Amino acid sequence: MLRHVSLLLCLFLWLNAKAETAGNWSQTLQKVTRAVVTIRVDAVRAFDTATNSTTQATGFVIDAERGLILTNRHVVQSGPVRAEALFSNREEVELKPVYRDPVHDFGIFRYRPQDLQFMKPEALSLRPDLARVGRDIRVVGNDAGEQLSILAGTLARLDRGAPYYGRGRYNDFNTFYYQSASGVSGGSSGSPVVDINGHVLALNAGGNRSAASSFFLPLDRVVSAVRWIQQDRSVPRGTLQTTFEYKPYDEVRRLGLRPEMEAQLRKVNHGVGLLVVNQVLPAGPADGILHAGDILLKGWVGQQDPSWLRRFDELEALLDAHVNETVKLMIERKGQPLTVELNIGDLHAITPDEYIEFGEAIVHDLSYQQARHFNRPVNGVYVAYPGYVFANAGLPSGAVILSVNNRAINTLNDMEYALSELADGQQASLQFITLHEVKRTRISVFRMDRRWFERQRCKRNDRRGVWDCQKLAPGPVAVAPIPVPVSLVKYKDKRAARLASSVVYVKNNIPYHVDGLQEVHYVGSGLIVDAENGLVVVDRNTVPAAMSDIRLVFAGVAEIPARVLFIHPIHNFAILQYQPELLGDVALKSASLKKTELAAGDDVWLVGTRGDQNLLVEKQTIASIDPLAFSVPQVPVFRESNIDVISLNNAPVTQGGVLTNEAGDVLALWASFSYGEGAELKQYDWGIPIELIQQYLEQWQCCKQFSVRSLEVEWAALSLSQARQLGLGNDWLRKFQNTDRKRQVLAVSRLVAGSDASRQFKEGDLLVAINGNIVRSFRDVELKSQTQTVKVTIVRGGQEIDLELATQELGGIGTARAIQWAGAMIQNPHRALAAQRGIKPESVYVSFVWWGSPASRYGLGAVYRIVEFEGERITNLDDFKLAIRKNASKTFIQLKVLDLIDRESVITLKPDLHYWPSREIWQQDGEWNSRLIN
């Protein structure tokens, strides 16, 4: 009986203790959650190990009076950021970064406490001394995007190594991490790890999803840094530019630890191992003094008594307290005791706090973080983002620039001076290494950009919480290139020999994603069609937009600029113009163009350009001449229509070219066509009959202008039997048979929104005549539609109908103007929207959004159309520019937007004129310009 009473009493006490513990946790978490915030952060520029991004994380108040919030270093970021904190009652405050540790994964934001009107959070206390194995903890934060999540766990290890996130990325080192099986996920970075009393034991910093493990940063260095910040003083951080790792005694013994020293250490060391040198950075304070495998024992400065350095926190406390002083270290190396002296360096001095931005590239001094990955001294200039200017030269993100024009580049000042000597468009050689081939010095050539993008040098200002920027020097005035002597390649084949003086290699780089373009680098070949005036015809898969930097390469020797003179709005070709005088006396010739009606089975010669810019010639047989019928791409972009193209049997791979007759007369342009299959863009080569191109060359030679009129209809070619089923009568059936040409009838397949045809035609209408003349082909329609109005005869449901239609005049240059606003590229809607999605050319269109921008943060995505700006209707880019200026002082802007299927939504967006100023890009007299709007 007594035994049963005893068991019941134990059960009662256990249940009572469990209920009391649950109650304590409930009370604790109520207090903790008031201090925990969701952090929305935009990394506005790529910098060091991070890219520009838009993300969210967690932080918590550690000083309510000063408004200090603790979170991770990878949240505060080493580069420029914009951030906001959202408290549990949904109050939002702006955050300013005040500290990010050079090594460890913690950073501190500041907010203005007076900005909180409806709650006063209590600061959480930092208690690293309370961390114990087996202690129950809770991780309180923004887990997997949830506003607030509480995850339970138990501290399992206090001496885990820092997690490794990959080479070239941010990695913590020279510290222990705690481990727990609490399974945190994205968004919980920066969460407090608390005990039942609400004390913060550690900072959540990472995890391993495959093992459901969470990694927490100890708070020793955090507590030290907070004390300095609360005193409004700089945080001292010392370094030997050496990475240590913690090894257990069995491993240290194999490295040479003497038995008598191990016995002595085991009496005073509460751990199971020692710190061992893992990596010494070249040219650092320890280079040539410490070696990999050295065992660290004691350290002291001046006349201090030597102290044991058994743990990372003991070593770092010593270094941080004596920056720029000399430290003595007692070590063992292969069983021999040694004492060495080293100068303690300043960690902040080798952590970059400036960057140069030019040509969309971001460069800064190489950081200690990345120098460890390269295993090189902390000098050189690091490419955080290659942007437009370096991507064109083949430099990847993460490269280190060693020299520019044979001038050594050791610092950012060296880089600024090298750039100051370069005019817009001027080329410069550079040497660099990459993260994946650190021993290989590579050489490239880049071209300076002073036209498309901002040029400035920016420095971190922790007082203001932003990076202050100053414009770079304007640089020298660009000079005309000196003509280069060029001799043309002599080919044995008579067609290649004839065309060697007419075929050029085309390189095109597009600075901005406009008109739905996804790529920015294009190559192909062009054909000189007017050597006297410098006219070159090329396909639109090489020059898809007028907003381009085009270079023509002649005989693989001379390279000169060209501009877009004409881009056909419907068909896959463009006409470029270069200045012939830049080539000196090179014997270039206009290609001989010969209008010929080709048919399947005809022999032609393909003269194409290879990757090495030489010509290849191959006799081919025309397989077929058929209409193209591409599906609509997911993102509206130029798509060829209303054309019959030439197919060959097993054509070789080329970068463009021409089809000729036996004598070398050009019969067709061998062009690359881009087309969409769902979200994927593909390309294929077909021939464009030269007759189509000749029409516009004749316009230029006659009147120095181009004119394109269109019915704005996409046609489908139907067989006579199909047309008969759609109501084509016998009279028309006989007329369409009275010819040797293709027996087909054109039917309305798609109507371009906003055109007169879209108001009068219906899909499925059969087109039989224009101005009383029968039409049988795309070319017939095109030639007969070059007047302001036309009379058309259609068959609809078996009934013959006569209509008078206004044709539409189309521009021959495409998008010639755009505006950058809030990190979005804004333009007038391009024709593909009207042709492919039935969207009238009204409002303005978002063609691209940069990561880390307000547009990215607040959901203003690409393919949206902005129809209202602060309640005012937007019909075109002029309206939009006026609205920007009118509302420049407003904190938030309300936009009404439509997607591709006209779904309406409202977006409130907070512009950022500091990092994302409004800029207009436009073409005038064939030249591109840019300027700030505000």
Side-chain angles (χ1 to χ4, degrees):
M1 183 67 177
L2 289 174
R3 182 182 177 190
H4 289 302
V5 171
S6 177
L7 288 173
L8 288 172
L9 179 61
C10 288
L11 179 61
F12 172 78
L13 292 173
W14 179 78
L15 290 172
N16 188 58
K18 186 174 181 181
E20 184 179 345
T21 298
N24 289 341
W25 272 118
S26 177
Q27 295 171 18
T28 295
L29 292 174
Q30 285 182 12
K31 173 189 173 183
V32 169
T33 54
R34 289 177 57 83
V36 174
V37 298
T38 296
I39 298 176
R40 299 166 177 165
V41 60
D42 296 318
V44 298
R45 296 292 186 273
F47 193 87
D48 198 14
T49 58
T51 60
N52 50 317
S53 61
T54 295
T55 187
Q56 60 183 7
T58 304
F60 55 97
V61 178
I62 55 173
D63 187 328
E65 182 181 344
R66 294 176 178 85
L68 299 182
I69 288 177
L70 178 64
T71 184
N72 290 132
R73 175 192 189 273
H74 70 261
V75 176
V76 176
Q77 301 273 348
S78 55
V81 298
R82 290 294 196 188
E84 298 166 339
L86 191 67
F87 282 80
S88 58
N89 70 338
R90 307 300 291 182
E91 279 194 85
E92 186 177 86
V93 295
E94 184 179 11
L95 298 180
K96 299 289 187 181
V98 295
Y99 182 74
R100 73 287 301 139
D101 195 77
V103 170
H104 300 318
D105 199 5
F106 74 92
I108 296 173
F109 282 117
R110 189 194 305 271
Y111 69 93
R112 298 198 326 153
Q114 57 267 37
D115 289 344
L116 282 177
Q117 300 179 21
F118 303 104
M119 75 176 299
K120 300 298 177 185
E122 293 183 28
L124 302 185
S125 60
L126 305 180
R127 293 294 303 273
D129 56 304
L130 298 178
R132 300 284 188 278
V133 172
R135 176 150 293 179
D136 287 341
I137 51 96
R138 298 292 186 271
V139 181
V140 184
N142 167 29
D143 188 69
E146 298 296 334
Q147 170 64 23
L148 185 67
S149 184
I150 301 170
L151 301 175
T154 303
L155 290 181
R157 286 185 63 183
L158 303 183
D159 60 355
R160 187 197 188 282
Y164 179 68
Y165 298 118
R167 194 175 181 200
R169 304 179 65 184
Y170 166 73
N171 289 284
D172 207 339
F173 60 96
N174 285 352
T175 183
F176 289 124
Y177 265 64
Y178 302 162
Q179 183 172 322
S180 169
S182 56
V184 297
S185 57
S188 61
S189 291
S191 299
V193 180
V194 300
D195 66 6
I196 196 169
N197 296 312
H199 300 306
V200 181
L201 309 185
L203 179 68
N204 181 49
N208 185 341
R209 293 184 182 180
S210 61
S213 296
S214 302
F215 308 135
F216 308 139
L217 177 72
L219 299 178
D220 306 276
R221 289 300 91 201
V222 177
V223 169
S224 174
V226 171
R227 290 197 189 106
W228 288 98
I229 292 170
Q230 288 172 331
Q231 298 171 37
D232 201 23
R233 298 172 66 185
S234 298
V235 179
R237 294 289 277 119
T239 180
L240 301 176
Q241 294 187 30
T242 301
T243 305
F244 296 87
E245 59 181 331
Y246 186 74
K247 288 186 176 293
Y249 277 120
D250 58 327
E251 293 187 40
V252 178
R253 198 179 304 125
R254 294 195 292 270
L255 290 173
L257 181 66
R258 292 172 296 151
E260 58 270 27
M261 181 57 69
E262 180 179 350
Q264 183 180 355
L265 281 163
R266 284 184 178 272
K267 293 179 181 179
V268 297
N269 190 355
H270 299 294
V272 294
L274 295 171
L275 300 181
V276 176
V277 174
N278 175 257
Q279 179 189 14
V280 178
L281 214 59
D287 187 22
I289 301 174
L290 293 179
H291 299 163
D294 286 351
I295 305 165
L296 187 60
L297 300 176
K298 291 184 177 182
W300 67 98
V301 173
Q303 302 302 313
Q304 292 178 350
D305 292 332
S307 58
W308 292 104
L309 301 178
R310 301 157 296 184
R311 300 175 55 85
F312 288 112
D313 56 307
E314 293 172 340
L315 171 62
E316 288 203 299
L318 176 65
L319 299 181
D320 291 352
H322 300 284
V323 176
N324 295 323
E325 298 182 42
T326 299
V327 64
K328 293 182 180 180
L329 297 179
M330 181 187 297
I331 64 173
E332 285 205 0
R333 179 182 297 160
K334 298 180 180 179
Q336 298 296 320
L338 297 171
T339 298
V340 297
E341 291 189 8
L342 304 96
N343 294 321
I344 302 175
D346 184 351
L347 256 179
H348 296 299
I350 54 175
T351 301
D353 61 357
E354 288 185 275
Y355 67 87
I356 286 177
E357 180 177 14
F358 75 105
E360 203 187 20
I362 303 291
V363 297
H364 55 75
D365 287 328
L366 180 67
S367 69
Y368 179 36
Q369 280 282 341
Q370 291 291 25
R372 292 176 61 247
H373 295 297
F374 282 90
N375 192 36
R376 62 170 285 113
V378 190
N379 64 22
V381 168
Y382 179 79
V383 181
Y385 182 64
Y388 178 68
V389 66
F390 283 149
N392 295 342
L395 263 73
S397 176
V400 175
I401 298 173
L402 306 178
S403 72
V404 173
N405 275 347
N406 299 317
R407 187 193 303 274
I409 302 296
N410 294 310
T411 66
L412 199 61
N413 290 336
D414 296 338
M415 189 70 185
E416 182 176 0
Y417 182 79
L419 296 177
S420 71
E421 296 184 307
L422 300 176
D424 182 47
Q426 185 176 344
Q427 287 185 305
S429 65
L430 51 79
Q431 292 182 315
F432 65 97
I433 59 174
T434 64
L435 190 64
H436 301 292
E437 295 183 288
V438 297
K439 293 297 184 181
R440 177 191 173 200
T441 300
R442 300 172 62 181
I443 300 174
S444 186
V445 175
F446 76 97
R447 193 176 298 279
M448 182 63 185
D449 168 65
R450 295 185 179 276
R451 173 173 44 172
W452 299 109
F453 296 95
E454 197 66 46
R455 301 169 307 283
Q456 57 188 4
R457 181 167 178 166
C458 303
K459 184 174 178 60
R460 193 179 72 219
N461 184 333
D462 284 335
R463 293 284 180 184
R464 299 179 58 232
V466 296
W467 292 55
D468 298 325
C469 299
Q470 291 185 337
K471 291 187 178 296
L472 295 181
V477 177
V479 296
I482 299 173
V484 177
V486 177
S487 61
L488 301 175
V489 178
K490 296 181 179 179
Y491 293 93
K492 292 182 179 179
D493 183 271
K494 63 180 181 181
R495 288 153 292 269
R498 187 175 180 186
L499 285 165
S501 59
S502 304
V503 175
V504 299
Y505 191 72
V506 183
K507 299 193 297 185
N508 181 26
N509 297 302
I510 295 182
Y512 298 109
H513 295 271
V514 294
D515 296 349
L517 297 177
Q518 298 179 18
E519 301 295 330
V520 293
H521 310 298
Y522 300 84
V523 294
S525 64
L527 181 70
I528 298 175
V529 291
D530 186 338
E532 181 181 353
N533 291 295
L535 301 190
V536 174
V537 65
V538 64
D539 63 58
R540 282 194 59 172
N541 202 27
T542 303
V543 180
M547 195 180 291
S548 300
D549 275 328
I550 303 168
R551 313 290 296 186
L552 303 182
V553 184
F554 296 84
V557 177
E559 182 175 313
I560 64 171
R563 66 185 180 102
V564 175
L565 195 63
F566 171 68
I567 287 187
H568 201 290
I570 299 173
H571 296 311
N572 183 31
F573 71 89
I575 297 175
L576 316 178
Q577 186 174 39
Y578 65 91
Q579 294 177 273
E581 59 269 24
L582 296 180
L583 290 170
D585 56 357
V586 183
L588 299 176
K589 297 179 181 178
S590 304
S592 172
L593 310 182
K594 188 170 185 178
K595 177 182 175 181
T596 304
E597 189 168 341
L598 298 170
D602 288 348
D603 288 336
V604 293
W605 279 258
L606 171 60
V607 182
T609 304
R610 300 186 305 192
D612 60 4
Q613 300 184 27
N614 285 313
L615 299 180
L616 66 82
V617 180
E618 189 171 302
K619 186 178 181 180
Q620 290 278 324
T621 300
I622 294 178
S624 63
I625 300 178
D626 297 311
L628 287 181
F630 293 139
S631 59
V632 172
Q634 192 172 59
V635 175
V637 68
F638 169 76
R639 160 180 156 274
E640 176 66 89
S641 63
N642 296 348
I643 191 173
D644 291 314
V645 294
I646 302 166
S647 300
L648 302 179
N649 289 314
N650 301 318
V653 176
T654 66
Q655 291 186 335
V658 293
L659 301 181
T660 76
N661 58 18
E662 186 174 5
D665 299 313
V666 176
L667 310 178
L669 182 70
W670 189 242
S672 175
F673 289 74
S674 176
Y675 60 97
E677 283 191 1
E680 186 179 359
L681 281 177
K682 297 186 175 182
Q683 55 188 28
Y684 196 80
D685 294 341
W686 285 285
I688 301 174
I690 206 65
E691 171 198 359
L692 183 58
I693 297 167
Q694 280 180 305
Q695 173 186 347
Y696 296 95
L697 289 177
E698 290 167 0
Q699 287 184 11
W700 173 259
Q701 290 162 354
C702 160
C703 310
K704 295 296 184 288
Q705 63 180 18
F706 299 97
S707 174
V708 182
R709 303 199 74 90
S710 170
L711 281 179
E712 292 298 80
V713 178
E714 286 189 17
W715 306 102
L718 305 181
S719 67
L720 293 184
S721 62
Q722 290 173 318
R724 190 163 177 262
Q725 292 173 4
L726 290 177
L728 187 68
N730 289 334
D731 289 343
W732 284 109
L733 192 63
R734 281 191 290 270
K735 292 177 183 178
F736 274 89
Q737 293 182 71
N738 188 25
T739 178
D740 294 330
R741 301 173 67 182
K742 284 186 176 181
R743 295 189 171 189
Q744 64 181 24
V745 177
L746 299 181
V748 175
S749 172
R750 192 181 296 272
L751 295 166
V752 179
S755 64
D756 192 25
S758 68
R759 292 181 283 272
Q760 299 200 57
F761 275 158
K762 293 183 179 179
E763 291 189 13
D765 287 350
L766 302 177
L767 178 66
V768 292
I770 295 179
N771 294 332
N773 298 310
I774 190 171
V775 290
R776 301 181 175 86
S777 67
F778 302 128
R779 189 67 180 143
D780 286 346
V781 176
E782 193 163 328
L783 290 173
K784 291 178 171 60
S785 303
Q786 297 307 306
T787 55
Q788 289 188 358
T789 60
V790 293
K791 294 181 179 180
V792 299
T793 303
I794 62 170
V795 173
R796 179 184 296 165
Q799 181 181 1
E800 185 176 313
I801 302 173
D802 291 322
L803 300 171
E804 184 169 335
L805 285 179
T807 62
Q808 189 147 333
E809 186 171 9
L810 304 179
I813 207 63
T815 296
R817 184 179 171 216
I819 289 176
Q820 288 176 282
W821 178 75
M825 199 68 180
I826 313 293
Q827 64 173 89
N828 285 321
H830 57 111
R831 184 178 178 275
L833 286 166
Q836 299 167 22
R837 298 303 179 107
I839 295 172
K840 292 182 179 181
E842 299 173 348
S843 69
V844 292
Y845 179 68
V846 181
S847 60
F848 183 76
V849 168
W850 280 267
W851 283 107
S853 68
S856 173
R857 160 61 59 196
Y858 295 101
L860 181 64
V863 309
Y864 275 142
R865 285 166 290 138
I866 301 174
V867 295
E868 283 187 15
F869 193 111
E870 280 294 292
E872 295 189 12
R873 186 183 176 195
I874 301 297
T875 60
N876 54 41
L877 212 55
D878 287 329
D879 290 348
F880 188 77
K881 181 179 176 180
L882 183 64
I884 292 174
R885 286 177 165 164
K886 184 177 178 181
N887 297 280
S889 61
K890 290 190 176 179
T891 302
F892 275 92
I893 300 296
Q894 188 177 101
L895 305 173
K896 181 181 289 186
V897 300
L898 302 176
D899 65 9
L900 292 178
I901 57 174
D902 284 345
R903 283 180 299 196
E904 183 179 280
S905 56
V906 174
I907 294 172
T908 54
L909 181 150
K910 183 179 181 181
D912 178 2
L913 295 179
H914 184 81
Y915 294 116
W916 303 99
S918 303
R919 176 174 292 275
E920 183 177 18
I921 302 101
W922 80 100
Q923 188 193 60
Q924 185 175 4
D925 299 327
E927 296 296 327
W928 288 94
N929 308 273
S930 68
R931 64 187 170 200
L932 293 176
I933 292 177
N934 292 325

